[in-house]
Amino acid sequence: MDLGINNRVALVMGAGGGLGAAIAASLAREGVRVAGGDVNLDALDQTRQAIEATGGRFLPIRADLSDLASLGAAVAAVDNQLGPVDILVNNTGGPPPTTAAGVPVD
């Protein structure tokens, strides 16, 4: 499928595995230059290897969505190495699925 996003830049958080890695791989197949953020650099390396094996481009970035102060540096690294972010996917492992009602703020 051609989504018309070839040569765009994406930042996919939680790209070290699961849904985030799948999103990163799908975007790479569309010709998107993908940066993947995750707290686990080993997992990001596995995602990088899988994407590069199919000819895609992937930039691993150590980033933690729970540490807002570090996110500026992550976005700057993407901007410097791939260009400005066109597509942002804020994916995180987070807590187990539940309803929004009754969930403590912390």
Side-chain angles (χ1 to χ4, degrees):
M1 170 184 332
D2 182 3
L3 299 175
I5 55 176
N6 184 48
N7 210 31
R8 302 282 185 174
V9 174
L11 172 57
V12 179
M13 300 303 292
L19 183 60
I23 292 169
S26 294
L27 288 168
R29 281 192 300 275
E30 289 292 322
V32 175
R33 298 183 314 267
V34 181
D38 204 291
V39 295
N40 185 334
L41 288 176
D42 291 333
L44 279 177
D45 193 52
Q46 291 177 2
T47 302
R48 179 193 59 78
Q49 289 177 34
I51 289 173
E52 289 181 353
T54 62
R57 183 160 180 202
F58 184 79
L59 173 67
I61 303 277
R62 186 180 187 309
D64 184 348
L65 279 174
S66 69
D67 180 9
L68 296 179
S70 71
L71 295 179
V75 172
V78 175
D79 190 50
N80 289 333
Q81 295 185 49
L82 299 179
V85 173
D86 300 301
I87 302 165
L88 174 62
V89 180
N90 279 330
N91 172 60
T92 180
T98 185
T99 62
V103 176
V105 174
D106 60 339

